[in-house]
Amino acid sequence: MAFSQSKPIDLNPKDTVEYKQSYGLRLGVDLSRIITGALDDNYKGFEIVADYRLTQNLYLAAELGNEEKTRQEDLYNFTTSGSYIKLGINKNNYTNWYGEQNLIYMGARLGFSTFENTLNNYQYFDTNRYWNPDSFANGSNIPETFSGLSATWLEAVFGTKVEIFSNFYLGASVRLGLLLHQKDEDRFPNLWIPGFNKVTWDSNFGIGYNYSISYFLPLYKKKNKAKKKIENSTEPEGLPKPNQRL
């Protein structure tokens, strides 16, 4: 028996290939804020998410949103409402197979928010409960608004984006924020900041998250390297299989 080869056998097939990959803008919305607003009467929120691909693994990223939240504490009830913007970058750490554009990324954001607080009602704290054994004494039920408030923070981001349909991506991320500066009112401190979430007395850190769906709009293509799936990699391409008649 004899056989011939039309091309030389590559005993070390490469697992990467150069091909043209799409670059462009990915734009979407945060589903978690929409769902929370539908389930919680004390919350309203909407966020637009976007990223723009600069290099094979580096993306410019931004979030723009508006939130309103009412909270009931032991002695007072207040509402915070305002808008925010976050700007930064994402670094993709996932090596895609040929034709894929999924992300497992780390990133950073600089966030800025402008908002107002409305003190809806409050009660006086009194250790002497003789006159009010069941509750604290009423302070005021007339809403008082404190406007012109602002905050700036840094945010570390860990997340993923997975293509579920052609150019449609489902994303999720966790965010750890560090409050850098805030403008508040002496009579009523900032206890919740749009885009940053809850503010505590003894810490400048805050935690957030989002779940997004977005659409990728390809604008142009560039050559990139990606892993190529090689079937039957234990047998060099071109060699006959056992019992194969040539």
Side-chain angles (χ1 to χ4, degrees):
M1 294 181 65
F3 64 91
S4 62
Q5 288 281 114
S6 60
K7 60 181 180 179
I9 299 173
D10 186 359
L11 298 179
N12 296 300
K14 297 180 176 61
D15 63 350
T16 61
V17 63
E18 284 191 352
Y19 71 104
K20 288 187 176 181
Q21 198 168 18
S22 296
Y23 282 66
L25 177 67
R26 186 170 16 228
L27 190 65
V29 296
D30 179 13
L31 297 176
S32 64
R33 283 170 169 78
I34 296 175
I35 295 173
T36 302
L39 300 177
D40 187 355
D41 294 335
N42 293 321
Y43 176 84
K44 296 178 182 178
F46 184 78
E47 181 179 278
I48 298 173
V49 299
D51 63 61
Y52 182 82
R53 191 175 191 181
L54 290 177
T55 67
Q56 184 172 359
N57 293 316
L58 190 63
Y59 296 75
L60 287 177
E63 291 89 26
L64 176 66
N66 181 275
E67 290 185 300
E68 178 182 302
K69 186 176 180 65
T70 299
R71 289 181 56 188
Q72 176 63 56
E73 301 293 343
D74 293 336
L75 295 175
Y76 50 88
N77 178 286
F78 72 96
T79 299
T80 302
S81 61
S83 301
Y84 62 91
I85 186 172
K86 305 177 187 180
L87 300 173
I89 57 172
N90 290 336
K91 172 65 168 57
N92 185 24
N93 298 302
Y94 178 72
T95 303
N96 285 289
W97 293 106
Y98 183 92
E100 293 180 342
Q101 297 188 61
N102 299 321
L103 287 80
I104 298 177
Y105 63 88
M106 299 174 61
R109 302 285 191 276
L110 177 63
F112 179 75
S113 177
T114 59
F115 56 97
E116 65 178 24
N117 287 322
T118 299
L119 182 60
N120 300 315
N121 57 70
Y122 63 91
Q123 296 174 295
Y124 291 112
F125 178 80
D126 188 358
T127 56
N128 185 357
R129 306 300 298 278
Y130 179 80
W131 299 107
N132 297 281
D134 298 326
S135 64
F136 294 102
N138 289 329
S140 174
N141 290 319
I142 301 175
E144 185 178 1
T145 300
F146 309 97
S147 57
L149 310 176
S150 62
T152 304
W153 66 93
L154 285 176
E155 200 170 80
V157 185
F158 306 90
T160 181
K161 292 182 185 290
V162 179
E163 188 173 19
I164 52 176
F165 304 109
S166 177
N167 291 335
F168 281 93
Y169 288 80
L170 194 64
S173 68
V174 178
R175 289 129 188 281
L176 177 63
L178 173 62
L179 193 59
L180 300 178
H181 176 266
Q182 61 174 321
K183 180 182 178 182
D184 59 2
E185 175 64 39
D186 292 337
R187 294 189 59 239
F188 190 75
N190 298 329
L191 302 177
W192 194 85
I193 297 174
F196 182 82
N197 286 333
K198 185 178 180 180
V199 180
T200 57
W201 295 95
D202 56 349
S203 176
N204 288 328
F205 288 95
I207 298 177
Y209 65 91
N210 77 351
Y211 299 102
S212 65
I213 186 167
S214 55
Y215 179 79
F216 177 69
L217 180 63
L219 300 178
Y220 62 95
K221 292 187 176 182
K222 288 174 60 176
K223 286 185 177 179
N224 289 121
K225 290 183 178 181
K227 282 190 175 182
K228 181 179 180 182
K229 294 179 181 179
I230 302 175
E231 297 181 358
N232 301 325
S233 58
T234 56
E235 297 181 7
E237 183 181 357
L239 289 181
K241 296 180 181 180
N243 302 323
Q244 179 179 1
R245 188 182 297 269
L246 300 176

